[in-house]
């Protein structure tokens, strides 16, 4: 057993990481699906979208061959509508709410249709938004992820000059660095960022990290307003013995590596345990398998009823051959010569509901051990607590505190997305960026 | 099992489904395929005046992804030499003597031309004729087709010429490109036609190509009014058929119904409104002649279910239910009821009623699903909500008579009863 890279042939990597949700091949294919849509009034799908995309309208626009209008409908609510069509957990959002579910029929493939229209827009570089003439206001955005880009785009449309500071060398944030490679490619992410910024008035300064290269107060001095959209950081610690052993890795780091280098360059074990059952845990488990791991076991302390990932995601993991162990929590990681060899788990039982409303797991006293050479931690991400404290931003357990007006504790500084909510979907971050822009516009209007 | 055979003026066919005079009946190869598939008869594509056809010839109206909801053609009558057609008719009759062989005719506008054509076709084995007084494109420019059918006097004259010569049953096919088919129908019956068929196609433009800006079908940068048919015209055909079935004179002859018939259900509707046989074209051109299999089986099953043993048991049965508006019962009132167990919360009933009708549906906003219910006192019973609802039987119309007795508009006025106050 060992952790090593370069396990597969180039063809195998290509096959394992190809697009998991193939697009419609033609207008005809999209139109057949689009014509199934009932065009609901006050549509449940739309109400279930955090960015409130007018889904019946954009689908109807596909049926009338008004693809430009369709893309505009999507992107005017969600500027990352193309990316969201690939990564949104639609089973618990729009498609989960589709009224066809009541008839026992397959819901409308909203995500695929959204992808169809938005990809057309990107391919053809349709200029769907006109930036108002520059009004002299300057706003700084920290983080070129979904929240930051969405905020920047909304502001630029209104004639604000926006400078975005990004610590990585590419934009897109979690989209680019934190999601399974078979959902979005780095090229797509780059194209999407370029398409968003093609409106003009958005200057992205790459490799500029908050805390290292500048502080929030630096920005406050130079800009009329600041939006913080820095997301969250590495995976939560397990706080168990053996966590320091070689072979224990962070899911975020593991996915980051896959996304930033050749597939063959990311090492993976023969026998891998993944701790957690969120989207990131699934992404880590399936990609470990696809990188050539022999055995992948996902360990979750509750049951399927409480799991945070969708059933669709769970099925991807199952189809990839991942083992699932419910009601098990890591107790200790054992190793030899500083390298992981075993994971000891408590068998759990569900007790009374906790603060999240889910029944909380309690150890039964029984344990079991599995032999592993790699443990991937995916039990949620930690906010950048130190960074936020250093910058004198009010926070609660590292999550930036904001008021109803989206203002932080600092004057003229707004925040939104994962750094505020602790980690939600891309689509939630896009909405937070839109809301942030609206709050900033209101703030700027009162200044002048 | 029900007997679905037909007897139209003595012309027998194993079922009431004939292929209409059109491209599918232009050649022996097509007709043999149709007979092998089970069609009860054909009306051979119109023979007569010499023509040449153009390219292209057809266009359609699609709805959603449904192709050919409406279909349009600018094809003229048979452009093949008469001798070949007659030879093929003779051969088809020899191979399938149990099927109805009607030949459609459109001779040049003089008596001898009609007489000569009639003799030749009878000699070839035709069992009946259908006079094409309906073709609305091309032939009309020569004073033929619909030009004949649009003028009862001319139609009467031509039927008289035909009746002088024909020894087999004559059916006259009526054009719908008139305010009413009854005057021409009556003229033809007075002139002696043995039967009628309707409708022929309706003059139309199916659409304009938004790139070339030329209407369809495109012929070297130009187009022409075509003849419209297919499912879209069925309601118009049913209405015209009923007017023929209601007229004391025209109701005396058997009718072959035509116009957008695609299924056994469509056929039954035509028969209920007076058709003895039905003719089909667009549906076969859309799907092939194999559609007749289900038409026969469906008709037979429906008849068994309803207890009809032969088609004449129900032909014309619905005619008497079409009345005058002024005779409708004003005291009849029904209101919509939404079955909450079947409702899928699409809101289509609500928005249709709210935006365009009587604001009679109440909405309870929820996330993400709203609930909808009918405000009984506001509902006028228009059916709109039921029609837009995508779930069968989710919205039903429940009878709540205003009064027990029958009151029509004329009596209502006499009684000085109140008008709506909202």
């Amino acid at each position: 057993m060992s952790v090593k890279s370069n396990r597969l042939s180039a063809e195998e990597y290509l096959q394992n990481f190809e697009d998991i949700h193939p697009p419609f091949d033609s207008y005809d294919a999209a139109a057949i699906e689009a014509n199934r849509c009932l065009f609901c009034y006050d549509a449940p799908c739309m109400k279930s979208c955090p960015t409130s995309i007018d889904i019946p309208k954009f689908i109807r626009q596909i049926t009338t061959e008004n693809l430009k209008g369709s893309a505009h409908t999507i992107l005017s609510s969600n500027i990352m509508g193309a990316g969201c069509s690939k990564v949104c957990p639609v089973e618990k959002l729009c498609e989960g709410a589709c009224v066809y579910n009541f008839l026992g029929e397959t819901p409308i493939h909203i995500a695929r249709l959204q992808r169809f229209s938005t990809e057309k827009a990107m391919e053809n570089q349709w200029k769907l938004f006109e930036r108002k003439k520059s009004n002299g206001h300057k706003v700084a955005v920290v983080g070129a992820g979904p929240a930051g880009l969405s905020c920047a785009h909304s502001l630029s449309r209104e004639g604000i000059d926006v400078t975005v500071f990004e610590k990585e060398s590419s934009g897109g944030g979690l989209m680019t660095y934190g999601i399974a490679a078979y959902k979005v490619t780095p090229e797509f992410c780059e194209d999407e960022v370029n398409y968003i910024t093609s409106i003009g008035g958005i200057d992205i300064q790459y490799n500029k990290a908050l805390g290292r290269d500048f502080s929030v107060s630096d920005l406050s001095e130079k800009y009329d307003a600041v939006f913080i959209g820095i997301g969250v950081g590495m995976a939560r610690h397990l706080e168990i013995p053996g966590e320091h052993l070689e072979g224990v890795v962070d899911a975020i780091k593991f996915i980051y590596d896959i996304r930033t280098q050749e597939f063959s360059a990311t090492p993976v074990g023969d026998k891998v345990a993944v701790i957690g059952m969120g989207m990131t845990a699934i992404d880590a488990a399936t990609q470990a398998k696809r990188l050539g791991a022999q055995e992948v076991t996902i360990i979750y302390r509750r049951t399927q009823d409480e799991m945070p990932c969708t059933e669709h995601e769970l099925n991807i993991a199952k189809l990839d051959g991942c083992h699932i162990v419910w009601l098990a929590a890591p107790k200790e990681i054992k190793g030899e010569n500083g390298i992981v060899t075993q994971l000891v788990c408590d068998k759990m039982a569900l007790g009374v509901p906790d603060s999240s409303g889910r029944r909380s797991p309690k150890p039964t006293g029984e344990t079991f051990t599995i032999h592993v050479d790699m443990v991937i931690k995916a039990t949620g991400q930690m906010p950048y607590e130190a960074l936020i404290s250093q910058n004198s931003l009010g926070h609660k357990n590292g999550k930036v505190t904001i008021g109803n007006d989206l203002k932080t504790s600092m004057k003229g500084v707004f925040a939104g997305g994962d750094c505020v909510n602790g980690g939600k979907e891309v689509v939630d971050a896009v909405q937070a960026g839109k809301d942030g822009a609206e709050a900033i516009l209101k703030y700027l209007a009162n200044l002048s | 099992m029900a007997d679905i055979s037909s007897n139209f003026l003595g012309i027998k066919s194993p079922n009431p489904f004939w292929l209409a005079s059109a491209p599918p009946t232009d050649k022996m190869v097509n007709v043999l395929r149709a007979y092998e598939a089970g069609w009860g008869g054909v009306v051979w594509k119109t023979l007569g005046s010499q023509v040449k056809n153009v390219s292209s010839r057809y266009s359609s109206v699609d709805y959603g992804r449904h192709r050919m909801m409406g279909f349009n053609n600018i094809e003229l009558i048979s452009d093949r030499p008469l001798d070949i057609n007659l030879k093929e008719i003779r051969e088809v009759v020899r191979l399938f003597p149990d099927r109805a062989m009607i030949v459609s005719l459109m001779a040049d506008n003089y008596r001898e031309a009609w007489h000569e054509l009639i003799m030749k076709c009878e000699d070839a084995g035709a069992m009946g004729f259908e006079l094409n007084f309906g073709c609305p494109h091309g032939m009309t420019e020569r004073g033929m087709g619909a030009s004949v059918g649009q003028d009862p006097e001319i139609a009467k004259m031509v039927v008289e010429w035909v009746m002088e010569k024909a020894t087999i049953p004559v059916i006259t096919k009526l054009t719908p490109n008139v305010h009413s088919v009854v005057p021409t129908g009556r003229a033809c019956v007075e002139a002696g036609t043995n039967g009628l068929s309707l409708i022929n196609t309706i003059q139309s433009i199916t659409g304009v190509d938004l790139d070339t800006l030329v209407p369809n079908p495109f012929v070297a940068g130009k187009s022409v009014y075509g003849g419209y048919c297919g499912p879209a015209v069925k309601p118009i055909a049913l209405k015209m058929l009923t007017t023929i079935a209601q007229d004391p004179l025209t109701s005396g002859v058997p009718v072959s119904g035509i116009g957008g018939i695609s299924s056994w259900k469509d056929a039954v509707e035509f028969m209920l409104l007076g058709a003895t046989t039905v003719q089909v074209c667009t549906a076969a051109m859309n799907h092939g002649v194999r559609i007749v299999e289900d038409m026969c089986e469906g008709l037979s099953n429906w008849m068994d279910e309803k207890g009809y043993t032969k088609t004449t048991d129900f032909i014309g049965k619905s005619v008497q239910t079409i009345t005058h508006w002024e005779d409708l019962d004003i005291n009849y009132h029904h209101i919509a009821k939404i079955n909450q167990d079947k409702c899928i919360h699409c809101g289509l009933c609500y928005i249709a009623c709210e935006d365009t009708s009587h604001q009679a549906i109440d909405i309870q906003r929820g996330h993400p699903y709203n609930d909808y219910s009918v405000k009984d006192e506001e509902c006028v019973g228009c059916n709109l909500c039921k029609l837009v609802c995508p779930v069968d039987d989710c919205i039903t119309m429940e009878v709540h008579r205003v009064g027990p007795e029958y009151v029509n508009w004329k009596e209502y006025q006499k009684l000085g009863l109140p008008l709506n106050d909202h």
Side-chain angles (χ1 to χ4, degrees), chain B residues 3-8 11-18 271 276-277 311:
Chain B
D3 173 9
I4 63 168
S5 68
S6 280
N7 182 339
F8 192 98
I11 304 165
K12 291 185 175 147
S13 58
N15 60 58
F17 308 122
W18 296 353
M271 293 166 86
T276 296
T277 64
T311 57

Side-chain angles (χ1 to χ4, degrees), chain A residues 347-413:
Chain A
K347 286 191 182 176
M348 311 294 275
L350 290 184
V352 290
D354 64 11
S355 59
S356 73
R358 299 180 299 179
R359 294 177 67 194
S360 72
K362 297 267 180 297
T364 58
E366 273 186 81
T367 63
F368 66 93
T369 300
I370 57 173
H371 294 272
V372 292
D373 53 10
M374 189 175 191
V375 175
I376 302 177
K377 301 184 285 183
T379 53
Q381 288 168 261
M382 287 188 300
Y384 293 111
E385 188 167 352
L387 186 62
I388 288 161
S389 294
Q390 281 158 26
N391 279 279
S392 318
L393 290 167
H395 67 91
K396 193 177 173 196
N397 303 325
K399 293 189 273 188
V400 178
T401 312
I402 54 169
N404 287 337
D405 51 6
L406 276 64
K407 285 178 185 163
T408 65
S409 57
M410 287 171 75
K411 186 171 162 26
V413 178

Side-chain angles (χ1 to χ4, degrees), chain B residues 44-48 82-83 85-90 93 101-107 113-131 165-169:
Chain B
W44 197 274
K45 181 159 166 132
T46 309
L47 306 180
L82 181 62
D83 288 349
N85 277 305
L86 295 172
K87 197 176 120 219
E88 290 189 355
I89 288 169
R90 181 174 287 112
V93 170
M101 171 58 78
I102 315 296
V103 178
S104 173
L105 303 179
M106 190 195 292
W114 281 94
H115 284 186
E116 188 187 339
L117 191 57
I118 286 164
M119 280 198 303
K120 285 183 174 170
C121 291
E122 285 195 11
D123 186 51
M127 300 169 190
F129 291 123
E130 184 182 81
L131 311 184
K165 197 72 191 174
T167 65
I168 56 177

Side-chain angles (χ1 to χ4, degrees), chain B residues 384-401:
Chain B
L384 181 63
C385 56
K386 178 181 166 63
L387 297 174
V388 299
C389 178
V391 181
D392 283 346
D393 301 329
C394 172
I395 299 182
T396 47
M397 305 305 294
E398 298 203 323
V399 178
H400 292 252
R401 290 190 64 91

Side-chain angles (χ1 to χ4, degrees), chain B residues 288-407:
Chain B
V289 292
R290 61 198 162 129
I291 57 168
V292 76
E293 294 167 18
D294 178 63
M295 295 180 86
C296 291
E297 290 167 23
L299 172 63
S300 175
N301 289 338
W302 178 80
M303 286 172 64
D304 286 346
E305 204 172 291
K306 299 292 175 190
Y308 299 126
T309 55
K310 51 193 189 304
T311 57
T312 47
D313 289 351
F314 65 90
I315 287 170
K317 233 176 159 44
S318 298
V319 175
Q320 49 91 21
T321 64
I322 292 283
T323 182
H324 292 104
W325 192 94
E326 288 195 338
D327 292 327
L328 292 173
D329 182 1
I330 288 181
N331 271 348
Y332 176 82
H333 186 64
H334 66 197
I335 56 181
K337 186 171 169 48
I338 300 170
N339 182 335
Q340 297 300 330
D341 295 333
K342 289 192 170 183
C343 178
I344 60 170
H345 313 278
C346 67
L348 296 179
C349 58
Y350 169 79
I351 199 60
C353 187
E354 192 71 11
D355 279 358
T356 69
S357 287
H358 298 89
Q359 299 74 48
I361 294 179
D362 190 47
I363 182 168
Q364 293 286 326
R365 304 254 175 202
H367 192 88
Y369 302 112
N370 303 333
D371 287 325
Y372 302 96
S373 52
V374 176
K375 299 180 216 164
D376 290 356
E377 66 286 2
E378 300 294 334
C379 179
V380 303
C382 72
N383 290 347
L384 181 63
C385 56
K386 178 181 166 63
L387 297 174
V388 299
C389 178
V391 181
D392 283 346
D393 301 329
C394 172
I395 299 182
T396 47
M397 305 305 294
E398 298 203 323
V399 178
H400 292 252
R401 290 190 64 91
V402 177
E405 70 287 356
Y406 163 85
V407 180

Side-chain angles (χ1 to χ4, degrees), chain A residues 244-323:
Chain A
H244 62 281
L245 289 166
E246 191 181 323
V248 180
V249 301
D250 176 317
I252 304 301
K253 172 75 169 58
F254 177 65
I255 295 170
Y256 179 90
D257 288 348
I258 296 170
R259 299 303 307 272
T260 51
Q261 55 193 8
E262 295 290 313
F263 294 126
S264 58
T266 302
V268 69
D270 282 322
K271 295 191 171 189
V272 179
V274 177
I275 317 295
M277 195 55 88
M279 298 299 226
T280 302
I282 300 287
D283 281 1
T286 55
Q287 292 193 108
K289 202 81 180 41
R290 287 162 192 241
L291 285 174
Q294 313 272 303
E295 248 181 65
V296 173
T297 307
I298 308 177
I299 310 280
Y300 182 51
R301 60 197 179 124
R302 305 179 200 242
T303 71
Q304 186 165 345
D305 289 340
E306 294 84 23
M307 70 179 182
C309 74
T310 63
E311 196 174 338
H312 175 79
E313 292 284 322
L314 177 66
N315 287 339
I316 296 174
K318 285 180 175 171
L319 288 168
D320 276 3
C322 299
H323 300 302

Side-chain angles (χ1 to χ4, degrees), chain A residues 66 69 103 116 153 180 191 197 199 203 316:
Chain A
N66 179 7
L103 290 173
F116 182 77
H153 188 268
D191 289 347
T197 54
I199 188 170
D203 173 29
I316 296 174

